[in-house]
Amino acid sequence: MYNNPVVPVAAGVGSAALAMTGAGQLFWYVLAAFAMVALGMAVKRIIPVRAEKP
Amino acid sequence: MRNNQSVEARILPGVTPDSHPAGAGGSHRADGGVVTVLVPAHNEAEAIIETLESLARQTRRPDRVIVVADNCTDTTEQLALGHGAEVIRTEGNTDKKAGALNFALEGLLADAAPDDLILVQDADSQLAGNFIENAVRHLSANNKLGAVGGVFSGGPGGGFVGHLQRNEYARYARDVKRLHGRCLVVTGTAALFRAETLRTVSAARIEQVLPAGNGRGGVYDTSVLTEDNELSFALLTLGYRIASPSDCTLVTEVMQSWRELWAQRLRWKRGAVENCVQYGWTRITRPYWGRQILSMVGVLVTMAYLGSIAFTLGTGQGLHIKAFWLAVTGVFVLERIITVRYRGWKYMLLAATMYETVIDLFLQAVHAKAYADALFNKKKVW
């Protein structure tokens, strides 16, 4: 309930640098698309947020 | 009629309001009404004293502390009494924590004023000294808030698996702070409610505006694995908001082994997906469904990807790594480093090695199992 659902994907896909595995281009594109979603969420967690309004 | 489970309770002898820590230290009616703490406990002899001591140290002392001793066979009751708490004992309760809390709340809500406050706290968790003061302030300041939950950090022990959980909890605390207290779930480890809010939940269950729960207006749904998640859905469905302000902190125990962690997370994850199914596709549940779908796809992607790497290496085709994707990986590494900053620079440095992939993949395996169990309706185990 409390963990970020995309982090495991980031670890699984990201840490292996999304190498071309020879399993087919379509397969690779699907993985790449998901990796991009994970990337967006990772960036969102990195960048600072605005301070709370008083 | 009370219920069909022959649950009984009594306040054990030898306890007077003056004898418990809150009473002795100046129990008072302040803004926000009387604060009663309910501590459901099942064989918590090892932790209950520390928990009660953390309550005695509160800057805004609770007016009553009630330990709900649920099917205890150890010395939990005696220890709680010895530390000045009131004790209610359940007998024959088969509905675990939710059943014990329903029983205690049934009596408590009958006598409570609308603005009285009830803090439900796990017996293995210790509140920060200003938890109640801050939680009461937040709840009093916003009538739309249905509950204020805590932000927890992990207690000591557990070796490597304990360390991984402490990192995970530190990241969650950072997430919640960045969202200014907005949270998906009011944690069961510690949450403060108005008596009136809980009465509203109870009435809504009877009127079938909410899932029936135990069928007798019990606040907590005894049919689910994650009663705190379900209660969060219930509050949101009734139009309340929920929050976990960053100044309401507590320490909770971590699972001491991989086996325990597996069991805990299997219950959490299956409970969460079943809560979504229970409430269906609504304005409230859409974000929760989104997380479920993302998690499910994530599991499939990881499995497919690791499988394809194994296949490629096994057939001698070789991997072709591109610079762009190495840069992408760099962002993921940065994310791991930055998000664990609450634990300090040493932990941040360590995170750069991506050693936490162990728990990430472990949690994905739990996810897959939870979905399979829910899909095939495997017997639920707490």
Side-chain angles (χ1 to χ4, degrees):
Chain A
M1 288 189 287
Y2 306 107
N3 65 310
N4 189 311
V6 172
V7 169
V9 184
V13 177
S15 62
L18 201 68
M20 291 291 282
T21 63
Q25 275 204 337
L26 181 63
F27 175 77
W28 188 87
Y29 284 132
V30 170
L31 293 186
F34 201 81
M36 287 291 105
V37 173
L39 179 71
M41 294 185 78
V43 169
K44 204 174 162 195
R45 290 187 88 199
I46 290 171
I47 55 173
V49 290
R50 265 189 235 164
E52 196 172 10
K53 287 177 189 169
Chain B
M1 196 166 92
R2 176 143 290 191
N3 60 43
N4 299 323
Q5 297 163 26
S6 66
V7 179
E8 291 178 10
R10 63 191 175 98
I11 295 176
L12 294 179
V15 182
T16 65
D18 288 341
S19 68
H20 78 75
S27 168
H28 52 273
R29 279 177 178 266
D31 288 344
V34 170
V35 176
T36 301
V37 182
L38 281 184
V39 186
H42 171 66
N43 290 344
E44 295 285 0
E46 283 182 23
I48 194 71
I49 290 176
E50 213 180 336
T51 299
L52 293 175
E53 284 175 348
S54 83
L55 288 168
R57 287 193 297 268
Q58 289 296 305
T59 52
R60 197 301 189 198
R61 292 190 172 200
D63 300 276
R64 293 179 74 185
V65 177
I66 304 172
V67 172
V68 188
D70 181 36
N71 296 321
C72 288
T73 53
D74 65 0
T75 56
T76 301
E77 291 178 26
Q78 290 74 19
L79 291 170
L81 283 170
H83 272 71
E86 297 173 42
V87 173
I88 297 175
R89 181 193 293 158
T90 69
E91 287 174 10
N93 172 38
T94 55
D95 290 328
K96 307 277 180 184
K97 180 178 161 186
L101 283 171
N102 280 345
F103 177 64
L105 284 169
E106 188 182 341
L108 201 59
L109 291 177
D111 300 327
D115 64 343
D116 282 352
L117 302 172
I118 296 169
L119 175 73
V120 176
Q121 188 204 332
D122 278 353
D124 58 8
S125 304
Q126 294 84 47
L127 305 182
N130 56 3
F131 184 102
I132 294 179
E133 181 184 354
N134 290 337
V136 169
R137 181 168 43 80
H138 287 293
L139 204 58
S140 302
N142 188 347
N143 282 335
K144 289 180 181 169
L145 263 184
V148 170
V151 180
F152 45 84
S153 55
F160 182 54
V161 71
H163 160 88
L164 291 168
Q165 290 168 81
R166 285 186 284 278
N167 278 4
E168 184 188 17
Y169 290 172
R171 288 194 169 94
Y172 175 70
R174 179 180 177 271
D175 282 347
V176 172
K177 186 173 184 188
R178 282 162 58 86
L179 293 168
H180 309 305
R182 207 171 74 227
C183 62
L184 289 166
V185 178
V186 173
T187 175
T189 52
L192 184 73
F193 309 89
R194 285 185 201 86
E196 190 57 29
T197 305
L198 297 182
R199 279 203 197 105
T200 305
V201 171
S202 174
R205 294 206 190 280
I206 290 169
E207 292 160 11
Q208 299 189 336
V209 175
L210 294 175
N214 68 357
R216 297 181 298 277
V219 170
Y220 285 91
D221 188 340
T222 52
S223 68
V224 299
L225 287 166
T226 42
E227 71 285 338
D228 53 354
N229 194 58
E230 196 281 338
L231 185 56
S232 300
F233 279 16
L235 291 171
L236 292 169
T237 301
L238 292 174
Y240 292 104
R241 291 182 190 161
I242 56 176
S244 293
S246 59
D247 56 3
C248 294
T249 60
L250 69 142
V251 177
T252 192
E253 75 166 2
V254 294
M255 296 297 104
Q256 300 291 312
S257 67
W258 288 102
R259 184 185 292 271
E260 283 180 30
L261 185 65
W262 177 274
Q264 182 199 47
R265 297 309 167 91
L266 196 58
R267 185 169 64 78
W268 283 6
K269 290 179 188 299
R270 182 170 172 188
V273 72
E274 289 184 349
N275 288 152
C276 284
V277 173
Q278 182 186 24
Y279 276 76
W281 178 266
T282 70
R283 184 179 56 82
I284 300 299
T285 60
R286 272 201 291 271
Y288 297 83
W289 274 114
R291 285 173 70 90
Q292 292 298 341
I293 291 164
L294 207 57
S295 301
M296 202 161 15
V297 175
V299 170
L300 294 174
V301 165
T302 302
M303 284 167 62
Y305 185 61
L306 296 180
S308 76
I309 287 182
F311 175 78
T312 306
L313 293 177
T315 53
Q317 294 178 50
L319 299 173
H320 308 284
I321 295 172
K322 306 283 187 188
F324 172 77
W325 290 105
L326 279 176
V328 169
T329 299
V331 176
F332 291 135
V333 174
L334 266 181
E335 191 268 353
R336 294 285 81 187
I337 296 169
I338 291 169
T339 54
V340 80
R341 81 175 177 88
Y342 280 10
R343 299 211 69 201
W345 65 270
K346 287 180 186 169
Y347 292 89
M348 293 172 75
L349 271 183
L350 203 56
T353 64
M354 296 294 274
Y355 73 101
E356 292 164 286
T357 303
V358 177
I359 194 170
D360 293 332
L361 294 177
F362 175 85
L363 291 178
Q364 287 219 318
V366 178
H367 242 120
K369 178 75 165 60
Y371 286 128
D373 286 354
L375 195 63
F376 298 113
N377 204 21
K378 194 181 168 196
K379 189 175 181 296
K380 296 176 185 179
V381 179
W382 270 263

